[in-house]
Amino acid sequence: MKLFSERLVCYPATAEDFEYYFLLAGNDSVMKHITGDSIDREKAKARYNTVLENREGHPEAGYYWVRDKYDNTFMGLVKLELVEPGVLELGYSLLPEFWGKGFTSEIVKEIMTYVRTLRHVNKMIGIIDPENGPSKTILLKLGFEFFKKGKYQDQAAEYYHLKLEKE
């Protein structure tokens, strides 16, 4: 599956793509609102392999690379993770030089359109750091609703959900 928006292309990660993941996972600014700190290569490799293994049973799940549609510049990723039957968790991270330019909203809209075509998925959730105002804004702008506060990976978290209307 490849998705195209006005400025971006998004496609599934493969085993050969670990270095792209590590550009994000090894970046303190990117990981501040995800795990609190960047992670080392070994932890990143283990996490990346787990995502690839989980995709085997659920081909729509996993990491999707986000690139510039015109010059193929790597920008970041979108994550879809099956957290329970019918529910996909949405996650996203871009390299800092691409923040604040509408890229995340643009590609997440395309991902949401794709997810609406999956008959077995009826809800998406987003889990964010309460201090991450831009992520909160993106989720709310795209129709997600706040439903609880809690913890995620030992960090404070806010949970948002979106019930999907099928096209």
Side-chain angles (χ1 to χ4, degrees):
M1 174 231 28
K2 268 192 176 179
L3 300 174
F4 297 91
S5 68
E6 181 182 334
R7 302 176 291 173
L8 308 171
V9 61
C10 184
Y11 60 92
T14 67
E16 294 77 33
D17 295 330
F18 168 74
E19 291 303 322
Y20 296 118
Y21 176 69
F22 192 63
L23 285 173
L24 297 162
N27 185 305
D28 287 330
S29 296
V30 171
M31 297 304 286
K32 175 182 177 185
H33 294 296
I34 298 171
T35 60
D37 292 307
S38 60
I39 57 177
D40 64 31
R41 182 174 287 280
E42 186 176 319
K43 280 186 181 176
K45 188 68 169 169
R47 185 175 292 177
Y48 189 73
N49 287 338
T50 298
V51 168
L52 292 176
E53 289 168 13
N54 289 341
R55 175 178 266 166
E56 289 176 19
H58 306 282
E60 71 282 350
Y63 291 144
Y64 293 84
W65 302 132
V66 178
R67 291 184 171 274
D68 183 287
K69 184 174 168 181
Y70 300 103
D71 68 10
N72 206 34
T73 300
F74 174 75
M75 301 170 79
L77 69 78
V78 173
K79 173 187 87 165
L80 291 175
E81 181 179 344
L82 190 68
V83 292
E84 61 184 72
V87 181
L88 283 175
E89 178 193 340
L90 168 70
Y92 40 82
S93 59
L94 295 181
L95 292 168
E97 58 265 34
F98 303 109
W99 294 353
K101 298 176 181 172
F103 293 122
T104 304
S105 294
E106 186 176 323
I107 204 62
V108 169
K109 284 179 192 175
E110 294 303 317
I111 289 285
M112 290 170 61
T113 298
Y114 163 68
V115 169
R116 282 185 171 94
T117 69
L118 303 173
R119 294 183 187 267
H120 66 282
V121 178
N122 55 34
K123 185 164 93 171
M124 292 177 75
I125 64 167
I127 306 168
I128 64 165
D129 176 346
E131 301 295 317
N132 190 344
S135 271
K136 188 181 303 191
T137 299
I138 289 167
L139 291 179
L140 292 172
K141 183 171 79 172
L142 295 175
F144 283 74
E145 297 176 343
F146 172 81
F147 74 96
K148 73 176 183 177
K149 289 186 179 194
K151 293 261 185 191
Y152 183 77
Q153 297 181 352
D154 294 325
Q155 287 189 253
E158 291 182 352
Y159 289 71
Y160 292 79
H161 66 158
L162 175 70
K163 293 180 181 167
L164 298 173
E165 296 176 22
K166 299 299 179 171
E167 296 178 345

